Amino acid sequence: MTGPSTPLAQAPQDPLIDGLNPPQREAVLTTEGPVLMLAGAGTGKTAALTARLAHLIRARLAWPSEILCVTFTNKAAREMRERVGHLIGPAVEGMPWLGTFHSIAAKMLRRHAELVGLQSNYTIIDTDDQLRLLKQLIQSEGVDEKRFPARQLAGCLDRWKNRGLNPDQIDAGESEAYANGKGQHFYRLYQDRLKALNACDFGDLLLHMVNILRDHREVLDQYRQRFKYVMVDEYQDTNQVQYLWLRLIAQGRQNICVVGDDDQSIYSWRGAEVANILRFEKDFAGAKVIRLEQNYRSTPQILAAASGLINENSQRLGKTLWTERHPGDPVRVIGVWDGPEEARRVGEEIERLEREGLSLAQVAILVRAQYQTREFEDRFIQIGLNYRIVGGFRFYERAEIRDALAYLRVIAQPADDLAFERIYNAPKRGLGAKALEKLHVLARRRGIPLAAAALEIADSDELPARARNTFVALMRDFGRWRDMAGSDNPADLLRTVMDESGYTDALQAEKTAEAAGRLENLAELARAMEEYDTLGDFLEHVSLVMDNEAADENEKVTIMTMHGAKGLEFDHVFLPGWEEGVFPSQRSLDEGGLASLEEERRLAYVAITRARRRCTILHAANRRIYGQWSSSIPSRFIGELPAEHVSQETTMSGGASLWRAQWSEHSDPFAHVAQTQPSRTATRGPGWQRAAQQQFETTPRRVAESTRSAASFAAKPRTDLTIGARVFHDKFGYGTIAAQEGNKLEIDFEQAGRKRVIDSFVKPAESV
């Protein structure tokens, strides 16, 4: 079956390669030895990769089962299988080793599980199961889970496993990442617990296989013998453990072909290391580098602008994209006064394009961070422009925004049970399902809202003392926040609520990129609220926004992050927010220094090369942060664009030279919503219930008419229960009523002693 590759000059006519350009043909026909297919944006790398795979099988260089072909996503694996199937027919069904890193590693691990202390029928746990297991371990070790959340530990474990580190390889410095140096200890506990459960997480699939291949030479030799060819897509996105796994297998025959673009390595926050592709030639001596540089997507002007920008990076292999397309328009750089004007300008441009007959499906707005979408969503709703959010929720549908809005709804409308139920235990306060069930039972029996039921149940023995005190503290907070709502700016109210409720603390404690993004979204929500005089006005606006999503199939503008846009293309691309601190992200620069700056520049390169016909970059001179207008300076990336390929439309003075000289260090404008407030321990004291009950007298004028006053919740004692009557309680059993105050009863229970309970929870003994 095996044989030498066909020299390119002598290659016979083959429909597999007839439509390929010379570098693509070379990549297909160079079958022996290590090959790096350095494929620029829009250069047809998928066509070349698919043709190469089909060629290996059609030329009988290997059986389908002798080729290891690795992709990053299940979608990419399906598309690869379908494309190859069109070229070679049913033979594609014989390719058991075409799939994602994790799916292939899982298949291998099933065969060798006993070598790492597992059985072949091991379970792969998901994120929820992992967090539940970690919480159990944290609790058993006496660590405060509020201070050191399980999600933070899960992030540490994920990073370590992505780097191929076992528990005994975690040094003291690494161990400090969790619980003041206990990271390694918890890693060991976690791995031991997983083995006891005959389970592993996704990170283990590759880590276990790397350990097996390293420690058991006979297994390594088996796979080196099996796989005559190894092919890897998106090699620039591999992390350390993926790299180690691939290198161990491919070092045998050396017939490895990796496809990637060092200029599009933008996922370091997932563990990807651009160094893997940069050192390919050192890892595999004699490797052939084939550059795919003919672009089939963008105009020469767009490609030249993107190439000039990425040339500023030092860590790259280098290539120059070119195209045979019409030159097209230069990249436009538009300076606007502020964020709202930025959204207005983009909206006007899109409406003009629509009038000229362009499909809205061919228009995209690519943002650096998710919080940036809010300004555009509000504007497009106002002007009736259809849009969709891709790769995430619409701004007001994100979990942290819904939580914040739920707090505000309860402040404005105490009878809003749906909102109260959402946040009574968010963040975690130790109020579980049983506490909520008790509230529902009391609320139904008395015909009162859940918040009012919380007031009543807190003054009884129906719940443990800790839960009662937690409800007391929460309801006191709502009373204070409701007082603030009558006088404070809505944005200041939100920041106070997020801090005093502990919501900000909980997100900060996670110390993850996801949590940081949620904090940014909350900061943007506060900024949006600054435009409204009252809380009622803002909540009414949100209701209209949330109701706007129509289920129609009309064409829509795409709004998404730059990261999510990789691999996509649009005729017209708008890139807003190109200012220092926003893009490049100040948080990324603070965390990663020069390496992060180069990745941010690669992200800019990816964003520009999504455009087929026209690319428009916008930057604002002012951004409003926490109610204060701050001056912004254009992104350094604007100054790095070649002037001959850029059209400037700005009212700001200066040009590219000014932009180059102007950028400097700035503090992160998107830290957390507000400074953490000291915690308060709640206890029941004289007059607390009377003060808390006042919270049901609402102050926001927009909801005053619809809110029931405290008087409507006044307790009415039952007439069938009198002092001396014998009663039954589901929790405390039989007892005799000793005293009565409104709907509160003091009962001497036969087993539990004297308890203070609500009359709704008892019934006459004779009826039991």
Side-chain angles (χ1 to χ4, degrees):
M1 291 269 311
T2 60
S5 60
T6 306
L8 183 61
Q10 303 173 12
Q13 291 295 314
D14 186 340
L16 280 179
I17 61 176
D18 283 349
L20 303 180
N21 62 38
Q24 289 174 324
R25 288 165 60 91
E26 184 180 10
V28 170
L29 297 174
T30 305
T31 58
E32 305 307 306
V35 175
L36 169 57
M37 197 189 307
L38 197 60
T43 57
K45 60 101 175 175
T46 303
L49 183 63
T50 304
R52 189 177 198 276
L53 182 56
H55 173 70
L56 293 175
I57 297 172
R58 286 241 312 229
R60 299 192 176 184
L61 297 175
W63 292 105
S65 60
E66 295 175 321
I67 301 173
L68 173 62
C69 185
V70 188
T71 66
F72 264 84
T73 65
N74 289 316
K75 178 182 177 183
R78 286 194 301 270
E79 290 179 351
M80 179 73 69
R81 190 176 295 275
E82 290 171 1
R83 286 187 178 221
V84 175
H86 287 311
L87 295 175
I88 65 174
V92 72
E93 299 303 324
M95 296 192 67
W97 303 103
L98 190 165
T100 65
F101 279 97
H102 289 105
S103 66
I104 294 174
K107 186 180 296 186
M108 290 181 173
L109 188 57
R110 295 284 178 198
R111 301 182 177 194
H112 312 287
E114 72 283 354
L115 298 178
V116 287
L118 297 173
Q119 300 172 31
S120 61
N121 63 340
Y122 64 82
T123 300
I124 304 174
I125 65 172
D126 59 18
T127 302
D128 289 341
D129 288 336
Q130 181 191 36
L131 291 175
R132 187 158 47 249
L133 176 56
L134 291 177
K135 287 178 181 178
Q136 292 172 3
L137 295 176
I138 292 168
Q139 184 178 13
S140 68
E141 292 295 300
V143 172
D144 184 359
E145 207 266 330
K146 290 184 178 179
R147 186 179 176 190
F148 302 106
R151 197 174 294 277
Q152 180 188 349
L153 177 56
C156 294
L157 296 174
D158 185 57
R159 287 194 300 274
W160 292 332
K161 291 182 179 184
N162 284 343
R163 291 163 56 192
L165 299 177
N166 294 293
D168 59 355
Q169 295 171 304
I170 304 301
D171 59 27
E174 290 283 355
S175 192
E176 284 292 331
Y178 182 76
N180 298 326
K182 295 184 178 179
Q184 182 188 51
H185 175 65
F186 274 103
Y187 191 0
R188 284 200 180 100
L189 289 178
Y190 176 64
Q191 294 302 102
D192 290 343
R193 182 61 178 149
L194 285 177
K195 287 183 180 179
L197 295 170
N198 190 35
C200 61
D201 59 27
F202 281 99
D204 286 323
L205 296 175
L206 281 156
L207 182 59
H208 282 329
M209 279 311 306
V210 167
N211 290 332
I212 290 171
L213 295 175
R214 280 173 168 169
D215 300 339
H216 301 273
R217 181 70 190 203
E218 71 281 4
V219 178
L220 177 60
D221 288 341
Q222 173 187 335
Y223 285 108
R224 285 181 172 179
Q225 182 66 26
R226 171 185 291 274
F227 298 127
K228 294 183 177 179
Y229 294 94
V230 177
M231 299 175 62
V232 190
D233 193 13
E234 303 288 4
Y235 190 67
Q236 79 280 349
D237 293 333
T238 53
N239 60 34
Q240 185 68 8
V241 74
Q242 292 164 344
Y243 162 80
L244 293 172
W245 178 72
L246 285 168
R247 192 178 65 173
L248 281 166
I249 293 173
Q251 283 287 4
R253 296 178 182 268
Q254 299 272 312
N255 286 339
I256 179 172
C257 174
V258 302
V259 184
D261 183 3
D262 54 326
D263 291 336
Q264 295 189 73
S265 180
I266 58 175
Y267 296 119
S268 65
W269 48 279
R270 293 181 184 170
E273 296 190 18
V274 68
N276 293 344
I277 193 171
L278 295 177
R279 65 179 175 223
F280 183 82
E281 293 176 90
K282 293 182 180 179
D283 289 334
F284 297 93
K288 186 168 189 176
V289 179
I290 301 173
R291 288 173 167 79
L292 304 188
E293 298 175 308
Q294 184 176 356
N295 180 281
Y296 296 95
R297 175 189 301 156
S298 306
T299 66
Q301 294 267 36
I302 291 173
L303 294 181
S307 296
L309 173 63
I310 201 63
N311 280 338
E312 297 291 328
N313 272 5
S314 59
Q315 297 296 311
R316 62 189 300 262
L317 296 171
K319 60 185 173 302
T320 302
L321 298 184
W322 61 275
T323 182
E324 296 178 343
R325 296 189 60 187
H326 184 275
D329 297 326
V331 171
R332 291 193 304 165
V333 175
I334 301 177
V336 295
W337 178 248
D338 57 17
E341 183 183 344
E342 180 181 63
R344 287 195 299 270
R345 181 68 182 264
V346 171
E348 291 169 358
E349 291 275 339
I350 295 175
E351 286 184 311
R352 179 182 60 78
L353 292 171
E354 187 178 24
R355 288 194 299 270
E356 294 174 357
L358 181 73
S359 167
L360 291 182
Q362 293 303 323
V363 179
I365 300 170
L366 308 183
V367 297
R368 173 61 182 88
Q370 287 191 339
Y371 70 84
Q372 291 176 261
T373 70
R374 202 276 312 169
E375 198 89 63
F376 294 97
E377 290 185 65
D378 283 357
R379 179 59 183 172
F380 292 175
I381 287 169
Q382 184 179 356
I383 65 177
L385 188 64
N386 287 333
Y387 72 92
R388 61 173 182 153
I389 301 293
V390 176
F393 295 102
R394 294 190 302 162
F395 184 80
Y396 292 108
E397 292 174 347
R398 292 164 188 157
E400 65 277 6
I401 301 301
R402 283 186 174 273
D403 287 346
L405 293 175
Y407 272 102
L408 298 175
R409 284 165 53 189
V410 174
I411 292 171
Q413 172 54 283
D416 191 334
D417 283 356
L418 292 177
F420 184 83
E421 186 172 344
R422 182 179 180 92
I423 50 81
Y424 83 102
N425 197 37
K428 301 294 184 183
R429 300 186 175 92
L431 298 173
K434 290 185 178 180
L436 182 61
E437 182 182 355
K438 284 280 189 180
L439 289 188
H440 274 295
V441 170
L442 178 60
R444 286 196 302 269
R445 289 176 178 175
R446 296 264 288 106
I448 60 177
L450 291 177
L455 285 175
E456 290 201 9
I457 209 167
D459 193 37
S460 75
D461 293 313
E462 299 290 347
L463 294 174
R466 180 179 176 182
R468 296 198 303 268
N469 289 335
T470 300
F471 271 129
V472 170
L474 181 61
M475 303 318 292
R476 275 179 169 172
D477 285 342
F478 271 114
R480 183 175 61 261
W481 297 333
R482 187 162 292 107
D483 290 339
M484 291 178 58
S487 57
D488 286 27
N489 177 279
D492 292 334
L493 172 65
L494 173 67
R495 295 178 186 118
T496 300
V497 171
M498 291 292 95
D499 273 0
E500 294 185 355
S501 68
Y503 202 97
T504 300
D505 277 351
L507 288 177
Q508 288 175 333
E510 287 186 23
K511 297 181 180 178
T512 64
E514 181 184 25
R518 290 178 175 175
L519 287 167
E520 289 176 346
N521 288 337
L522 290 173
E524 178 61 20
L525 178 65
R527 202 213 66 74
M529 295 178 69
E530 290 161 1
E531 302 173 10
Y532 296 87
D533 294 330
T534 70
L535 177 59
D537 290 339
F538 175 72
L539 291 176
E540 182 177 292
H541 163 75
V542 173
S543 297
L544 295 174
V545 170
M546 296 291 283
D547 190 51
N548 186 75
E549 178 70 358
D552 59 64
E553 299 298 325
N554 292 337
E555 295 174 345
K556 299 179 180 180
V557 175
T558 296
I559 306 177
M560 64 192 310
T561 64
M562 296 175 182
H563 283 100
K566 186 172 177 291
L568 303 179
E569 55 187 61
F570 304 89
D571 281 349
H572 292 257
V573 171
F574 293 89
L575 306 176
W578 280 43
E579 301 129 31
E580 287 296 309
V582 179
F583 188 48
S585 162
Q586 190 63 48
R587 176 162 52 88
S588 294
L589 299 186
D590 291 343
E591 294 175 356
L594 180 60
S596 288
L597 173 60
E598 295 217 342
E599 179 159 328
E600 291 285 292
R601 191 177 283 113
R602 292 194 293 269
L603 186 57
Y605 170 83
V606 167
I608 292 173
T609 54
R610 298 311 94 195
R612 284 192 290 252
R613 294 172 53 190
R614 174 173 272 189
C615 177
T616 301
I617 296 170
L618 300 101
H619 64 93
N622 303 279
R623 291 282 178 189
R624 197 174 187 185
I625 311 296
Y626 303 139
Q628 301 294 321
W629 284 103
S630 301
S631 297
S632 302
I633 61 174
S635 168
R636 69 191 76 189
F637 299 152
I638 294 177
E640 294 170 356
L641 296 170
E644 62 271 24
H645 300 291
V646 173
S647 170
Q648 299 178 19
E649 302 175 29
T650 176
T651 57
M652 270 66 76
S653 61
S657 59
L658 175 61
W659 286 326
R660 289 192 181 96
Q662 225 176 4
W663 66 265
S664 59
E665 293 292 333
H666 286 266
S667 59
D668 184 358
F670 303 107
H672 51 79
V673 177
Q675 292 298 313
T676 302
Q677 298 295 321
S679 60
R680 298 170 307 285
T681 301
T683 56
R684 283 182 287 171
W688 76 267
Q689 191 180 25
R690 183 178 64 257
Q693 191 79 11
Q694 293 174 359
Q695 68 183 270
F696 292 99
E697 299 172 359
T698 61
T699 52
R701 54 187 175 84
R702 287 289 182 125
V703 296
E705 296 81 4
S706 62
T707 305
R708 289 185 284 172
S709 66
S712 65
F713 301 132
K716 295 182 174 63
R718 287 170 54 179
T719 58
D720 59 334
L721 300 177
T722 58
I723 294 176
R726 183 171 166 78
V727 294
F728 178 81
H729 188 282
D730 288 338
K731 179 179 179 181
F732 303 123
Y734 289 97
T736 302
I737 298 176
Q740 184 175 22
E741 179 185 349
N743 69 330
K744 303 293 193 306
L745 304 174
E746 290 196 15
I747 301 176
D748 291 323
F749 290 100
E750 296 171 1
Q751 302 296 327
R754 178 166 290 196
K755 297 290 183 181
R756 182 176 174 87
V757 301
I758 299 171
D759 59 14
S760 299
F761 288 94
V762 301
K763 47 193 168 185
E766 61 269 17
S767 67
V768 178

